[in-house]
Amino acid sequence: MTAENSRTPMDWEKRFADDSTPWERPGLHPAFEHWRDTGAFDDAGSVIVPGCGRSPELKAFAALGKSAIGADLSPTALAWQKSSLEQDGLSAELIEADILLWRPDEPLDAAYEQTFLCAIPPRLRTEYEAAVFDWLKPSRKLFALFMQKAELGGPPYGCSMDAMRELFPIERWDWPEAEPVAYPHPSLNGKPELAVILTRR
Ligand SMILES: C[S@@+](CC[C@H](N)C(=O)[O-])C[C@H]1O[C@@H](n2cnc3c(N)ncnc32)[C@H](O)[C@@H]1O
């Protein structure tokens, strides 16, 4: 899918084709490792990684035995995921689509969010919330990493906690009582991502 026929002004496919991907981390996100190591993913048989790009968390979910779905607009990123999975004899469902418009046949157990919400135009955020709500079974979880950024413009667009609380209202989502843990991004000028687990009502 190209920028012309998608709803985003960013040509993500070109970014991957040009290898211009400063949002990528050198390995697994430390929040993912923490959640994995503390059993937070244990009861999730199925998980979707929207806007997975070339992030290694998709393969890590597959390695944990999850029924994993990776979704992206970019065929180049998805081809990379396919090759990476095959190298380790793993598999995941790969969906090339505007994932905000996609719904599963059966609802899922988890969604894992990493530099995706901050990448889409803010006018699409309510569509994102509606999509994640529809993807998940009741009482299941969105593992979110909300990018913090004071400056206007993007991507990445800042996901302030005030904006996130408005986007994910308590009528539809349970918020944790604990303060979110901040993970500075190793590039992107060290902008912190706040790790939050939201439970769909
Ligand atoms: C900033 S990148 C993050 C990629 C990956 N999550 C990571 O951490 O490396 C944003 C990703 O979202 C994808 N994307 C943007 N809008 C999308 C949409 N509407 N549907 C599916 N993927 C989308 C882009 O192609 C890109 O791979």
Side-chain angles (χ1 to χ4, degrees), residues 7-8 12-13 16 23-25 49-55 57 71-74 77 97-100 114-116 119-120:
R7 295 182 299 153
T8 172
W12 294 104
E13 171 60 11
F16 287 107
W23 58 81
E24 291 183 348
R25 289 172 172 270
V49 184
C52 59
R54 300 189 296 196
S55 82
E57 288 75 14
D72 209 282
L73 293 170
S74 164
D98 182 338
I99 203 61
L100 304 180
Q114 177 183 311
T115 50
F116 176 60
I120 62 173

Side-chain angles (χ1 to χ4, degrees), residues 169-190:
I170 54 171
E171 293 77 21
R172 287 160 66 86
W173 299 91
D174 281 330
W175 280 76
E177 285 181 11
E179 284 298 307
V181 178
Y183 293 90
H185 199 286
S187 43
L188 303 180
N189 298 324

Side-chain angles (χ1 to χ4, degrees), residues 4 19 25 27 48-49 53 57 69 77 86 99 105-106 114 118 141 145-146 154 165 167 173 180 195 199-200:
E4 287 71 43
D19 219 10
R25 289 172 172 270
I48 182 168
V49 184
E57 288 75 14
I69 301 173
E86 285 174 356
I99 203 61
D105 293 334
E106 297 290 333
Q114 177 183 311
C118 70
K141 294 183 171 62
L145 289 154
F146 294 136
R165 284 191 177 274
L167 184 63
W173 299 91
T199 306
R200 179 207 192 278

Side-chain angles (χ1 to χ4, degrees), residues 117-118 125 146-149 157-161 163-164 194:
L117 178 56
C118 70
R125 286 183 174 181
F146 294 136
M147 177 69 71
Q148 303 302 295
K149 180 191 168 197
Y157 299 95
C159 299
S160 74
M161 291 309 280
M164 295 302 96
L194 296 182

